[in-house]
């Protein structure tokens, strides 16, 4: 198997690059999170049902998911750091479209543009984070993830205080965030190019070059089976998370009679918990191993998800925070586990796990929207309570050697 070592494997983590990547991830995902955050507004304005709301989510997720693995596969052989800037340009176009769309089809087109930007951004940014890790892969992915999760959490908060009071056109104000992200992406790409050039010019130690392979030997069938399980694990988490991103505000409004702003604040708390969980899981995973983090995220979240449909408003808020905190802790572990199975295909792994698994989550959101139209949103959350149990498939994962930097 062709093993490609990160550029940063012989030095400490490049924190400026990691923080810049985290900031761009924050801005990228913050813009993306505005799509579900404006659902309560556009549902009324365009007289949409839950099925049409789910179709918007599906359009965004499929645009991102179908292209991400292809982009990752191509950039594994032809790294394109500046492609992130092009991707953010697509996101900016979609953002303007969301602000001024005059019809439902234009909303779908705008969501597709935002998804296209995501498909270009994530594979290359994942590779940069890996190469800047200095061997501390959990720390690097945790820092990178905390930006994305924080950005996703900011969407409902910004919607509550800016978009809800000022209307759909105020979405265009966030163009400034897209332009700032482009500036950071240009700086990061230049820094990455300099690191790549320095690594290429550095002498190659013979001892390291002839060392034993970094991962245990697995057949292609075993690797494909393990990657499939990992995608399913991430799908179960994303499907659960997407059910909240798309419909949690409607659930709170319908069951407890809260205001739109209050529902957006509670959605913010749910999503913000993922940022803390992602960072903590990445750091702890470097110390205790990926498998333990995986099992904690599965067995720890399931009891709380089963209790959630029967909780009152206060405990609904508490339980959702606890659930997402635990579930998010495993994302870095899943991603690094896959990277250790396929060490030379970082872009492809980033594309699969940010693209395919999130796309499947979008498909689940669309299906759940149709189900909600039939049986009600509360019944949907009683069904979703069992989604974390899919994580028990982790039992079948092969052992992968836990390597420190």
């Amino acid at each position: 198997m062709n093993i490609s070592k990160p550029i940063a494997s012989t030095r400490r983590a490049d924190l400026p690059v990691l923080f810049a990547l985290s900031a761009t991830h924050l801005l990228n995902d913050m813009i993306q999170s505005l799509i579900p955050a404006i659902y309560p507004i556009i549902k009324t304005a365009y007289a949409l049902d839950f099925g049409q709301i789910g179709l918007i989510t599906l359009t965004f997720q499929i645009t991102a998911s179908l292209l991400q693995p292809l982009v990752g596969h191509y950039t594994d052989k032809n790294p394109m750091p500046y492609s992130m800037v092009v991707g953010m340009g697509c996101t900016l176009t979609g953002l303007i479209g969301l602000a001024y769309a005059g019809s439902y089809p234009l909303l779908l087109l705008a969501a597709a543009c935002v998804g296209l930007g995501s498909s270009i951004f994530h594979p290359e940014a994942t590779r940069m984070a890996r190469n800047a890790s200095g061997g501390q892969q959990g720390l690097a992915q945790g820092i990178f993830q905390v930006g994305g999760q924080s950005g996703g959490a900011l969407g409902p908060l910004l919607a509550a205080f800016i978009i809800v009071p000022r209307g759909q056109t105020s979405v265009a104000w966030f163009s400034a965030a897209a332009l700032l992200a482009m500036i950071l992406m240009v700086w990061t790409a230049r820094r990455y190019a300099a690191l790549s050039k320095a690594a290429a010019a550095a002498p190659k130690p013979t001892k390291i070059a002839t060392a034993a392979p970094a991962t245990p030997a697995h057949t292609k069938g075993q690797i494909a089976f393990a990657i499939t399980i990992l995608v399913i694990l991430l799908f179960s988490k994303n499907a659960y998370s997407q059910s909240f991103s798309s419909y949690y505000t409607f659930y709170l409004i319908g069951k407890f009679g809260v205001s739109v702003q209050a529902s957006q604040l509670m959605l913010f708390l749910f999503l913000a918990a993922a940022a803390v969980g992602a960072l903590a899981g990445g750091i702890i995973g470097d110390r205790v191993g990926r498998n333990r983090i995986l099992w904690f995220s599965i067995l720890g979240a399931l009891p709380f998800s089963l209790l959630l449909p029967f909780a009152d408003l206060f405990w609904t808020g508490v339980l959702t925070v606890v659930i997402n905190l635990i579930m998010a802790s495993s994302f870095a572990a899943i991603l690094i586990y896959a990277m250790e199975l396929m060490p030379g295909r970082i872009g492809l792994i980033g594309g699969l796990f940010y693209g395919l698994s999130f796309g499947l989550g979008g498909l689940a959101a669309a299906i759940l929207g149709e189900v909600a139209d039939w049986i009600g949103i509360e019944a949907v959350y009683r069904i979703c309570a069992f989604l974390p149990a899919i994580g028990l498939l982790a039992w079948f994962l092969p052992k992968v050697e836990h390597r420190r930097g």
Side-chain angles (χ1 to χ4, degrees):
M1 184 182 297
N2 177 30
I3 295 178
S4 172
K5 289 188 178 293
I7 296 171
S9 61
T10 59
R11 58 184 177 80
R12 296 192 178 192
D14 193 328
L15 292 179
V17 169
L18 290 175
F19 286 134
L21 286 170
S22 182
T24 57
H25 202 185
L26 183 150
L27 295 169
N28 182 80
D29 286 22
M30 180 192 74
I31 294 171
Q32 294 174 15
S33 70
L34 294 177
I35 296 177
I38 65 173
Y39 283 169
I41 297 174
I42 63 175
K43 186 177 188 295
T44 301
Y46 295 87
L48 306 179
D49 57 28
F50 285 119
Q52 289 173 306
I53 290 291
L55 185 58
I56 296 175
T57 301
L58 177 62
T59 300
F60 162 69
Q61 296 288 9
I62 283 186
T63 307
S65 67
L66 289 179
L67 290 180
Q68 276 199 50
L70 297 176
V71 172
H73 176 70
Y74 179 80
T75 56
D76 276 332
K77 299 179 180 179
N78 306 279
M80 302 174 65
Y82 289 97
S83 64
M84 295 192 302
V85 183
V86 177
M88 184 52 64
C90 295
T91 299
L92 175 60
T93 302
L95 191 64
I96 300 299
L98 287 173
Y100 297 106
S103 65
Y104 181 68
L106 288 178
L107 284 173
L108 293 177
L109 180 60
C113 287
V114 177
L116 178 61
S118 175
S119 70
I120 298 173
F121 169 76
H122 283 106
E124 198 64 38
T126 302
R127 182 198 331 282
M128 289 186 181
R130 169 87 168 184
N131 288 344
S133 69
Q136 296 175 279
Q137 299 171 36
L139 173 66
Q141 289 300 325
I143 292 174
F144 182 57
Q145 284 305 313
V146 78
Q149 299 287 2
S150 299
L154 283 174
L157 193 64
L158 294 171
F161 291 103
I162 297 178
I163 299 175
V164 170
R166 299 179 184 276
Q168 182 182 346
T169 56
S170 62
V171 172
W173 295 6
F174 298 95
S175 299
L179 294 173
L180 175 59
M182 287 181 175
I183 294 171
L184 286 172
M185 287 171 177
V186 170
W187 179 87
T188 306
R190 288 178 177 173
R191 181 69 175 259
Y192 177 84
L195 289 174
S196 299
K197 190 174 182 179
K204 306 297 189 296
T206 304
K207 183 177 292 188
I208 294 178
T210 59
T215 55
H218 294 292
T219 65
K220 290 182 178 180
Q222 289 174 324
I223 291 174
F225 178 71
I227 292 295
T228 300
I229 289 179
L230 291 171
V231 169
I232 293 173
L233 293 183
L234 203 53
F235 158 73
S236 68
K237 297 177 184 298
N238 288 334
Y240 193 84
S241 180
Q242 285 293 335
S243 73
F244 278 81
S245 297
S246 297
Y247 309 115
Y248 186 41
T249 53
F250 301 115
Y251 174 75
L252 293 172
I253 293 169
K255 184 173 182 178
F256 301 111
V258 302
S259 67
V260 172
Q261 284 186 321
S263 69
Q264 295 284 11
L265 287 174
M266 291 188 67
L267 178 58
F268 164 74
L269 292 175
F270 169 78
L271 296 173
V276 179
L279 181 60
I283 295 173
I284 296 172
D286 278 338
R287 297 178 178 273
V288 304
R290 319 294 174 208
N291 285 348
R292 291 180 181 178
I293 292 294
L294 280 175
W295 281 110
F296 169 72
S297 73
I298 296 163
L299 300 180
L302 186 57
F304 298 112
S305 69
L306 294 173
L307 286 173
L308 180 63
F310 308 100
D312 60 18
L313 178 61
F314 172 78
W315 285 107
T316 293
V318 173
L319 288 173
T320 53
V321 168
V322 172
I323 290 167
N324 215 21
L325 183 71
I326 295 173
M327 290 180 64
S329 67
S330 67
F331 187 89
I334 291 174
L335 197 64
I336 296 168
Y337 193 110
M339 289 177 179
E340 290 174 347
L341 282 170
M342 302 177 67
R345 311 302 297 276
I346 306 306
L348 177 61
I349 291 300
L352 281 172
F353 285 85
Y354 285 106
L356 180 60
S357 61
F358 278 78
L360 291 173
L363 176 61
I367 294 172
L368 291 173
E370 294 291 346
V371 173
D373 285 330
W374 295 338
I375 65 175
I377 197 69
E378 292 184 34
V380 164
Y381 278 102
R382 286 195 289 272
I383 295 171
C384 289
F386 294 91
L387 282 174
I390 296 175
L392 294 172
L393 288 173
W395 177 265
F396 300 102
L397 286 172
K399 299 295 182 182
V400 173
E401 180 185 356
H402 173 54
R403 292 175 285 117
R404 298 174 187 243

